[in-house]
Amino acid sequence: MNLQLTDIVIILILAACIYAWWRNTSIREQALISAKKHCESLNLQLLDDSVAGAEWRPIWSQGQIKVRRSYKFEFSSSGIARYQGKVTYLGNHQLNIWLSPHDF
């Protein structure tokens, strides 16, 4: 079996894309769990039981290139109005969770 350099490059690019997709999926699941726990701790209801990718950007942090990901979600305090929230990750570490002003 003779592999050309282009074959090796194509295989490496394909492997990198699969790894990036897998890594993004696992961090999205972490973001969903974090949003659920945060909403439960504040006695809020996470609507649609999901988070949606809002931003994906590579940045330079502590001498390394890391990906900063933001996920948006909606929650409710009364069951009537919908409010926005956002959870942000740098690499695989959670930076913060932001909730828009809402009724208590």
Side-chain angles (χ1 to χ4, degrees), residues 1-13:
M1 176 178 192
N2 287 335
L3 288 177
Q4 300 293 324
L5 182 59
T6 55
D7 296 335
I8 294 171
V9 170
I10 289 172
I11 290 170
L12 288 175
I13 289 173

Side-chain angles (χ1 to χ4, degrees), residues 20 23-24 27-28 55-57 67-71 87-92:
R23 190 72 190 134
N24 196 46
I27 292 176
R28 184 186 166 280
E55 182 182 15
W56 193 89
R57 178 173 44 157
V67 179
R68 181 178 178 161
R69 295 172 175 91
S70 296
Y71 298 93
V87 59
T88 305
Y89 277 80
L90 180 61
N92 56 345

Side-chain angles (χ1 to χ4, degrees), residues 53-87:
E55 182 182 15
W56 193 89
R57 178 173 44 157
I59 64 169
W60 186 263
S61 174
Q62 299 175 353
Q64 297 177 349
I65 294 178
K66 294 185 179 182
V67 179
R68 181 178 178 161
R69 295 172 175 91
S70 296
Y71 298 93
K72 290 185 179 180
F73 60 92
E74 292 186 333
F75 67 94
S76 178
S77 59
S78 63
I80 298 172
R82 296 174 84 94
Y83 301 100
Q84 294 281 325
K86 185 167 116 175
V87 59

Side-chain angles (χ1 to χ4, degrees), residues 4-53:
Q4 300 293 324
L5 182 59
T6 55
D7 296 335
I8 294 171
V9 170
I10 289 172
I11 290 170
L12 288 175
I13 289 173
L14 183 61
C17 289
I18 291 170
Y19 175 75
W21 173 80
W22 173 75
R23 190 72 190 134
N24 196 46
T25 301
S26 68
I27 292 176
R28 184 186 166 280
E29 290 172 3
Q30 288 178 9
L32 177 59
I33 291 168
S34 295
K36 280 183 184 179
K37 286 181 180 179
H38 193 70
C39 286
E40 286 175 1
S41 70
L42 296 174
N43 201 21
L44 300 171
Q45 178 185 8
L46 179 65
L47 300 175
D48 303 327
D49 202 31
S50 67
V51 294

